[in-house]
Amino acid sequence: MPPKQTKGEYIETDTGNKVSRKSVILGSQNIILGGKTVIQADCTIRGDLRRTVAPGQHSGNVAVAVGRYCFLSRSSVLRPPGRTHQKTFSYYPMKIGDHVFVGEGSVVEAALIGSYVHIAKDCVIGKFAIIKDCVRIEEGTVIAPNTVIPSFSLVSGRPGVVIDELPETAQEGLECRSPNHLIQ
Amino acid sequence: MPPKSRPSEAVAKPPTTLASSVVIAETASLTGTFPIKIGANTVIHPRAKLASAHGPITIGEHCIICERTHIYPPDAEGLVIGDGTVVEVNAVVEGSVGAGSVVEVGNCKLGPLTKVLEGEVIEDNTVIFGSGQRRIDASGTADARRRLLERHIESLRVLIPSNPSKFIN
């Protein structure tokens, strides 16, 4: 008789994504995960808040697109931003690049997050914010809606402002490879 | 092999009064013993927690209660959330909230990660932002914001599958 398979906490997909069983993934058909992304327990992804004014087809209606090697920590929330445009309210897709680390308890409602972004814990990224590549956002930062954070910035405060510039070599330090040491 | 059944949790189901046009997600959690009353056209996102263990909850019309919020009235006086209020993600509401607010009294806006202490009364039209700074919002946009909120609710009605019958006792 084959040995009983222990149910780990993480479900591993064929592209190498590790999704915790205790995460709250709503509307999973509208969520794209690049490979090797880790989603920890209690993380919420609102794929159900999709664009209602779809241009014709239903199948290409992505609400949240996450890149490769991302790490979404416990209790983080990814929510597509929504606003009223020409008399109708609609949610817009959220796109997250590769090697993005979202810290515990952070709420992300940005429109676009580039690659190699490190968001520390307890941050709030406002609606329609655009965060470019290689940015480090410190703990407890609140980024106002519609802000654009340029590349290679260090952001902190409430409201989140660029307090420092990261060196060109920052990309190496912001990589999220080998997440296996963080989860078993 | 049949799935292992959990011992049934002794979660009290509160007496609820839900208006017919409420959009309430199935995974919202309404617990407690005191009555919970939810007004018309209100949206309760998945995983919102309304716990009326110590006091009743009354939520007005056209409100949006986002996910991961905790609405916990601390005493028997209960908690009233006025019409047109938006309670955003991760908010904890333990005091009464006036109409038209984004989490707090009379047409106020509480920015992210702000805290209002026990017993504090915030004047109408206050905006709390940054690290505790406050200002009075005199832009007179309350009606326009209310119209935007109603459109928001209409689109949420399409997106969130509602199951009010699960919560009616």
Side-chain angles (χ1 to χ4, degrees):
Chain A
M1 196 159 121
K4 189 164 117 177
Q5 210 175 29
T6 44
K7 278 176 150 193
E9 195 204 326
Y10 288 88
I11 303 172
E12 181 149 359
T13 70
D14 43 3
T15 45
N17 295 310
K18 286 188 158 81
V19 180
S20 166
R21 284 174 206 279
K22 301 199 196 96
S23 58
V24 180
I25 313 277
L26 297 160
S28 51
Q29 60 271 31
N30 302 324
I31 301 176
I32 291 182
L33 296 180
K36 308 266 199 258
T37 289
V38 175
I39 301 182
Q40 283 200 313
D42 203 32
C43 173
T44 304
I45 306 188
R46 298 297 305 267
D48 57 337
L49 302 180
R50 63 182 194 281
R51 211 183 159 122
T52 40
V53 279
Q57 15 136 245
H58 234 333
S59 51
N61 213 348
V62 178
V64 178
V66 180
R68 297 178 303 159
Y69 298 104
C70 288
F71 194 100
L72 309 181
S73 309
R74 274 168 234 288
S75 308
S76 52
V77 179
L78 259 60
R79 234 181 167 228
R83 70 159 163 234
T84 311
H85 179 63
Q86 290 180 358
K87 297 214 186 255
T88 41
F89 185 94
S90 178
Y91 283 95
Y92 288 77
M94 166 193 262
K95 183 155 170 33
I96 297 184
D98 304 332
H99 294 268
V100 172
F101 178 94
V102 178
E104 283 187 29
S106 287
V107 178
V108 179
E109 277 191 85
L112 179 67
I113 299 187
S115 302
Y116 300 97
V117 174
H118 188 283
I119 300 176
K121 60 196 226 326
D122 298 322
C123 292
V124 176
I125 316 278
K127 296 187 206 290
F128 295 100
I130 295 179
I131 303 179
K132 304 275 189 183
D133 302 336
C134 297
V135 169
R136 184 183 285 276
I137 300 179
E138 299 206 325
E139 202 178 302
T141 309
V142 174
I143 294 188
N146 303 305
T147 330
V148 176
I149 308 275
S151 306
F152 295 98
S153 310
L154 177 64
V155 182
S156 171
R158 305 180 192 179
V161 287
V162 179
I163 55 169
D164 200 0
E165 211 179 295
L166 298 177
E168 289 148 12
T169 52
Q171 179 169 311
E172 227 171 52
L174 291 166
E175 265 183 19
C176 282
R177 278 184 155 259
S178 58
N180 298 315
H181 67 279
L182 289 161
I183 54 163
Q184 63 278 8
Chain B
M1 204 166 117
K4 197 161 82 170
S5 58
R6 273 206 203 133
S8 61
E9 300 157 13
V11 173
K13 287 179 79 171
T16 55
T17 316
L18 304 178
S20 57
S21 49
V22 164
V23 176
I24 178 163
E26 224 176 75
T27 51
S29 129
L30 271 65
T31 56
T33 46
F34 285 85
I36 296 183
K37 183 170 181 305
I38 306 185
N41 289 315
T42 294
V43 177
I44 312 243
H45 280 250
R47 311 279 164 155
K49 291 195 172 58
L50 281 71
S52 63
H54 300 288
I57 301 178
T58 307
I59 301 184
E61 304 186 355
H62 290 113
C63 293
I64 297 182
I65 313 282
C66 291
E67 63 266 25
R68 304 175 63 96
T69 49
H70 292 236
I71 313 241
Y72 289 159
D75 52 34
E77 203 183 287
L79 171 49
V80 175
I81 296 187
D83 296 344
T85 306
V86 179
V87 181
E88 288 274 4
V89 179
N90 281 344
V92 176
V93 182
E94 288 179 353
S96 287
V97 180
S101 309
V102 183
V103 192
E104 257 290 351
V105 179
N107 214 8
C108 295
K109 185 177 166 101
L110 265 69
L113 299 182
T114 49
K115 280 198 267 273
V116 177
L117 300 172
E118 217 180 290
E120 245 187 290
V121 175
I122 303 182
E123 286 172 14
D124 290 356
N125 299 315
T126 309
V127 177
I128 304 186
F129 60 98
S131 347
Q133 287 122 295
R134 301 184 181 193
R135 66 177 175 93
I136 303 287
D137 173 19
S139 62
T141 48
D143 291 331
R145 275 189 272 145
R146 180 62 181 265
R147 281 196 292 275
L148 290 182
L149 181 62
E150 284 168 21
R151 284 194 206 112
H152 187 170
I153 290 179
E154 282 318 303
S155 82
L156 283 175
R157 192 182 294 283
V158 172
L159 294 173
I160 296 183
S162 174
N163 192 1
S165 53
K166 179 179 173 202
F167 297 100
I168 293 180
N169 286 339

